Each structure stands twice: as C-alpha cells, then as structure tokens.
Amino acid sequence: MHQTIAVLDFGSQYTQVIARRIRECNVYSKIYHYSTKAKVLKKDNICGIILSGGPSSVLAKKAPLPDADIFKLGVPVLGICYGLQLMAHMLGGKVEPSKQREYGHSSLEVLDQSELLNGLPAKIRVWNSHGDKVIKMPRGFIAAARTQNSDFAAIEHPKKKFFGLQFHPEVSHSEQGINVIRNFLQQICGCEGDWSMADYLKQSVEEIRAKVGDQKVILGLSGGVDSSVAAALLHEAIGDQLTCVFVDNGLLRKNERESVENLFKRNFKMNLKVVRASRLFLSKLKGVTDPEKKRKVIGRTFIEVFDNTVKKLGKVDFLAQGTLYPDVIESVSIEGNPASLIKSHHNVGGLPKRMKLKLLEPLRELFKDEVRVLGSELGLPKEVLWRQPFPGPGLGVRVLGELTAKNLSVLREADAILLEEMKRSDWYYKVWQSFAVFLPVRSVGVMGDERTYDNAVVLRIVESQDAMTADWVRMPYEVLQTISSRIINEVKGVNRVCLDISSKPPATIEWE
Ligand code: XMP
C-alpha cells in the first residue's frame, strides 16, 4: 500500500492539476469530496491532506466546509487559496472580502523560517486568483510569505504542520510551484516518492475490472495517441470483453489501416473490427465543397457507420473514449474557446446517450504526457505514442474542394513521401505537424519534352505547443528539396510543390 495524500475538492478547476503535480513527485494521491469524514481519511491511512481552491467564499452562508476533525488527525494539512481561507476561518483567524479581486501574477516575498517554502529564492512570481483575503492568522500560525496585496500570502503552524498558500503552486505560471508541493510531500508529509505510472496502471486495471464486471465495452479506435492508449489499457484490464471499431473512411493516410490492424489485431490480439466504408463516405461527400459542410458530412457518416457496426455486435454496455483531462476542461470552458470547438468535431460526443451506453473514460484524469508514459508501460511503440496529431476528418480537409478518389490518392502518395523524408531526416518528431495539402489548381510544367498541366501540392510543416498558435518550421533546404523532387518525380498528377510559410494566427494549421 502506497502512502496516500488526500486532496479534498472544493470545486477548483485545478483540483486535477494538483493531483497531477503530486503524481509528478511520484506520490499517490486520491481526490475526495470536500465533505469526506475525517474517520474515512483515517481508515485510508492518509499521510497528508491538501485542501483545494474553489469558487466559493468562506464568508458565504452555504460555504462548503470540510469535517472539522480533519484538523485533529495529526497529519499535515496544506490549504491552497480557498483552502487557506478555510483554514484561517475555521481555526480562529479572520477573513474578509478584498476590495479588489487579485487575479494573475504577483511577486511573493518569502520570509525566513518557512518550512514549506524552504530552499526557495527570496522572491518568486506566483499566480493568484482570489477575492477574499486573510487579515488575521489563527493562533500559533506565523506568516511565511507576503505579497503587495497581502501580509499573509503564506502562513504556517510549525507545530501542528498546517500550511496555507494564497497563490496556486499547482499551476505552471507559479515559479517554483512544483518545489513547494515537493517540500510538502517529501519534507513535511514524509512521502518517499516511490509511486510510478506502473502503479497507476495496476490500479486503473483494477478499477476498470470492478466497474465493467463481465459486461461488454466498445471503443472507437482512430489510431491516435489517446484512443490507442485507452484501447491498450482496456484490453489489459478486460481482454476480449473489449471490441475496438476502426472505421476506414477513405480519408486516411497511406497504410494507416494496415498499421492499425498490424499493431492491435496481430500484436495485441485485440478484438478489432475494421469497417471499410470509404465508398459510403465518398458517395456522401460527392459534390460537397464547403469545408464546414464536409466536416459535418464526415462526422455524421462516422456516427452512422459506428452506430450500425455496434448494433451488429449484439449487447454492448459501455462506450469507452480516450478523453483526457484537458479535453474535460475544454469541453466545459467558456463558450467560443476554439479549442473546445476542435474537440467537438473529433469526438463522438452525442453517441453514448443516443446509443444508451454507459460512458467509460479511463484516461480522464491524465494529461497528454502522462498518457504517453502509460502507453509505453502498456507496450505501445514510439510511432503511436509520438504520432503527430491528425484531424478526425483526415485527408478530407487536406484535399481542397470536392473529394474524389483520384485526388485523395494523389495526396496520399505525396503525403507519404513527405512523412518518409521527415522521418528519414529526423525532423518528424521535432515538429508539431507535417503534412501535404492537395490544391485543385492546375499549372503548366514541363517534363522531359512534354508540357504538363497538373495539380499543386503544398507542404505544411509547423511547430506549436498546443495548436492554438503555430509557426512554420525553417526546414533545411536539402530536406525540402528532396521532398519536392521526389513528389514531382514519383507522384503522377503533381507538377508543382509549394511551401506554406504562414503562421497561426492569422492562418490555421489545416487548410480547411
Ligand atoms: P487548425 O487548422 O484549426 O487546427 O489550426 C488546430 C489543430 O487541430 C487539428 N484539427 C482537428 N482535429 N478534428 C480534430 O480532431 C478536426 O476536425 C480538426 N480540425 C483541425 C489540426 O490538425 C491541428 O492539430
């Protein structure tokens, strides 16, 4: 049994980020509802408690309060933001509404003798988001740090090991945040830091088994990182009770279907149902040129095909999805956030309700980099775990204008050459995305003694952190030259290769 840190959740959007930081320190944590009784925590043998932030004010009538006995368990407690105010409020200090909401960065001045902030520089930039502030500390507490806005930006009770922080150490905008959390876990709670993703895997497998029992699960496998890791994890847990459905919509890259079949069917020996539906997709897309309409047709047809396939499988109880934690945040985020729009194209959002299936999201707590570590524990290869993002509508949004089998095939060949050369030159894993786009524009060329009148292909190679902004990659000329001459020589129907040198914004990464 690993040492456990309890995170009491008061509704902060960062609660899962706290859990993630704790995992980063190789410590096991469990998120509990804020009202969990102290005796439950005691039974779980926890070695420390973190009170999360939250949107409420401790001064409000219906403020969510923890069981007061958690302060009597004899384990260290760290309150973050709302958690700090709770501590001050419940242990005899005073909190008052601040005239100004403090939101964003501030400079934290670390005072002497702080156990929690031990080893940190005297001044650090931290990130805040709070309305109320502590104006009097409870008895026995000392001030550990201050900001311009507050004399009690960090407080601690050295004897009882209670600590409060006004800022959010868990967010990446807070400098040294991870060191603060590490101090709490290792120096103060005595955690050994021997927990790892292998333990997470074991535990996830047990949880999935307990939840699924002997029921059946279906998963739409796209071959991307998230659905591949979800598939491997579920397969490890429930074996043949899982069926994966891979839809070949005719908009895939060269050999994509074959490599998914090879990996999951032959290697992992999964129940994989490959549905060849390219004719259906192309017939539905006939005459469609508007980009938004294309996406909608592709999305609708996918649901239709998926739905029909599942119906033929007999009784199924769960629909599994490779939703990650950032998807969860994005899907509840402010309207108009382009990130959440992107996801809505891709995932099969309305499906579980329509199909009357229970939803299973085994990666829901994890961040992308953690999913990769988990995937590697499960034996997935680097090519899958570090694959570049590929949009749900696939080559459908990379062949401009109407989609025809011929244009798609031209693009597929050109794209395969581009990817091959990116890998050969060691550039593939250094960039965010690299792909070819087919332009239905014909221009004049000359090949041998003959005049040609053929289409153009654009190379789109970008670097990015999160796809929200992107820039074109300054690729070496030699690599570009090899790609260009190979495409023109080897792909019939292309006599011109262009390079896209637009950044996002104002351009987008994809062309449609
Ligand atoms: P844009 O073109 O908007 O793309 O700059 C940003 C990122 O999102 C990907 N993308 C999609 N992903 N379904 C997806 O799953 C889609 O419909 C979709 N459209 C764009 C794109 O490849 C890039 O990584």
Side-chain angles (χ1 to χ4, degrees):
M1 181 71 182
H2 282 278
Q3 295 161 306
T4 306
I5 293 288
V7 180
L8 295 194
D9 183 14
F10 292 89
S12 164
Q13 57 168 325
Y14 299 122
T15 302
Q16 289 288 355
V17 185
I18 299 175
R20 187 240 145 94
R21 295 289 173 236
I22 300 174
R23 290 197 289 273
E24 247 175 82
C25 298
N26 297 99
V27 171
Y28 173 62
S29 72
K30 199 166 156 189
I31 296 176
Y32 293 83
H33 188 264
Y34 70 83
S35 63
T36 305
K37 290 273 175 263
K39 54 180 188 236
V40 174
L41 301 181
K42 189 166 181 191
K43 217 173 85 219
D44 284 0
N45 216 1
I46 54 145
C47 61
I49 300 175
I50 295 185
L51 311 174
S52 83
S56 322
S57 161
V58 292
L59 304 168
K61 256 201 196 127
K62 287 195 176 152
L65 300 178
D67 178 359
D69 286 350
I70 63 164
F71 295 109
K72 296 182 192 148
L73 284 173
V75 298
V77 182
L78 167 62
I80 296 174
C81 196
Y82 180 78
L84 156 83
Q85 287 147 17
L86 269 177
M87 219 178 234
H89 182 70
M90 292 176 74
L91 301 177
K94 201 162 171 10
V95 175
E96 75 169 15
S98 179
K99 280 179 217 89
Q100 239 181 342
R101 201 180 156 76
E102 192 180 11
Y103 182 86
H105 279 110
S106 65
S107 171
L108 184 85
E109 192 187 332
V110 179
L111 306 172
D112 289 343
Q113 292 176 326
S114 167
E115 198 180 350
L116 183 63
L117 306 176
N118 186 22
L120 264 59
K123 271 218 161 87
I124 46 177
R125 257 164 79 76
V126 295
W127 198 84
N128 301 278
S129 167
H130 61 100
D132 298 345
K133 79 182 204 194
V134 176
I135 53 162
K136 187 176 151 248
M137 292 186 287
R139 266 201 26 212
F141 276 77
I142 58 162
R146 62 177 170 231
T147 61
Q148 216 179 13
N149 193 30
S150 167
D151 284 340
F152 309 117
I155 60 173
E156 49 192 72
H157 192 307
K159 252 214 204 113
K160 291 193 170 158
K161 308 278 178 218
F162 294 159
F163 304 84
L165 298 172
Q166 186 65 87
F167 66 96
H168 288 272
E170 71 276 25
V171 305
S172 57
H173 317 294
S174 285
E175 274 173 21
Q176 303 277 338
I178 187 74
N179 291 331
V180 176
I181 291 173
R182 190 171 288 120
N183 270 353
F184 180 70
L185 300 175
Q186 294 181 352
Q187 312 306 330
I188 296 168
C189 300
C191 297
E192 279 170 18
D194 56 358
W195 181 90
S196 71
M197 212 27 115
D199 297 301
Y200 187 93
L201 171 58
K202 263 192 236 148
Q203 198 184 331
S204 273
V205 162
E206 278 167 27
E207 280 169 17
I208 294 167
R209 284 184 186 152
K211 189 162 181 187
V212 173
D214 58 1
Q215 304 181 83
K216 292 245 153 54
V217 180
I218 181 119
L219 171 93
L221 182 67
S222 72
V225 182
D226 309 348
S227 67
S228 298
V229 175
L233 173 60
L234 286 163
H235 183 250
E236 174 88 13
I238 56 168
D240 277 355
Q241 284 164 260
L242 169 75
T243 304
C244 294
V245 175
F246 178 80
V247 177
D248 181 351
N249 56 9
L251 308 170
L252 303 174
R253 284 161 298 183
K254 194 172 177 181
N255 294 333
E256 204 165 346
R257 189 188 65 227
E258 292 79 354
S259 59
V260 166
E261 275 181 320
N262 262 336
L263 179 63
F264 292 100
K265 213 173 197 161
R266 310 240 152 75
N267 257 0
F268 274 88
K269 312 240 178 304
M270 275 187 207
N271 266 335
L272 172 67
K273 179 116 196 65
V274 175
V275 191
R276 298 191 179 202
S278 50
R279 273 222 204 110
L280 175 73
F281 276 84
L282 276 190
S283 72
K284 298 240 178 190
L285 285 161
K286 203 168 167 45
V288 182
T289 52
D290 176 66
E292 263 315 288
K293 184 122 191 268
K294 267 190 194 174
R295 281 170 188 274
K296 288 218 173 89
V297 174
I298 296 169
R300 261 204 313 265
T301 313
F302 176 82
I303 290 183
E304 189 187 310
V305 171
F306 192 77
D307 208 1
N308 284 336
T309 312
V310 176
K311 271 188 196 134
K312 284 187 214 141
L313 290 175
K315 187 167 161 35
V316 174
D317 307 276
F318 287 92
L319 173 73
Q321 287 184 339
T323 321
L324 310 191
Y325 184 61
D327 305 335
V328 179
I329 314 180
E330 279 167 12
S331 58
V332 295
S333 70
I334 321 116
E335 257 180 57
N337 174 354
S340 47
L341 274 182
I342 290 167
K343 304 287 161 163
S344 74
H345 289 302
H346 189 49
N347 68 31
V348 279
L351 265 185
K353 235 181 173 174
R354 228 182 83 166
M355 298 168 69
K356 301 202 177 61
L357 295 174
K358 291 176 270 187
L359 193 59
L360 193 61
E361 296 179 311
L363 309 179
R364 207 184 152 80
E365 290 170 5
L366 299 182
F367 290 74
K368 195 84 166 190
D369 55 334
E370 296 182 299
V371 167
R372 292 199 170 106
V373 180
L374 181 63
S376 133
E377 286 288 335
L378 285 158
L380 285 169
K382 175 181 171 196
E383 293 74 43
V384 170
L385 296 176
W386 290 94
R387 203 182 86 145
Q388 293 175 0
F390 185 62
L395 302 186
V397 290
R398 294 181 182 170
V399 166
L400 304 200
E402 186 179 355
L403 297 171
T404 63
K406 176 156 184 297
N407 292 354
L408 279 164
S409 142
V410 170
L411 175 62
R412 203 169 277 129
E413 294 304 319
D415 188 65
I417 292 173
L418 165 84
L419 291 180
E420 206 179 299
E421 291 303 328
M422 290 297 288
K423 285 187 179 157
R424 198 201 304 276
S425 59
D426 267 344
W427 275 90
Y428 178 86
Y429 294 110
K430 289 188 202 150
V431 306
W432 176 263
Q433 268 172 296
S434 50
F435 56 87
V437 178
F438 178 91
L439 300 189
V441 177
R442 296 212 289 173
S443 70
V444 174
V446 52
M447 255 194 184
D449 289 334
E450 267 182 53
R451 180 179 175 280
T452 56
Y453 190 48
D454 270 333
N455 294 104
V457 156
V458 175
L459 312 180
R460 183 66 165 146
I461 308 171
V462 295
E463 55 190 16
S464 173
Q465 292 301 320
D466 52 11
M468 301 300 287
T469 60
D471 199 6
W472 57 283
V473 178
R474 275 58 171 175
M475 290 289 297
Y477 284 164
E478 307 79 63
V479 181
L480 293 174
Q481 195 241 315
T482 311
I483 297 172
S484 162
S485 68
R486 275 198 61 197
I487 291 178
I488 293 175
N489 284 315
E490 295 173 34
V491 184
K492 212 162 170 287
V494 179
N495 66 355
R496 202 171 288 272
V497 171
C498 311
L499 181 66
D500 183 346
I501 53 168
S502 343
S503 64
K504 171 184 180 174
T508 50
I509 296 176
E510 302 290 343
W511 270 52
E512 279 193 339

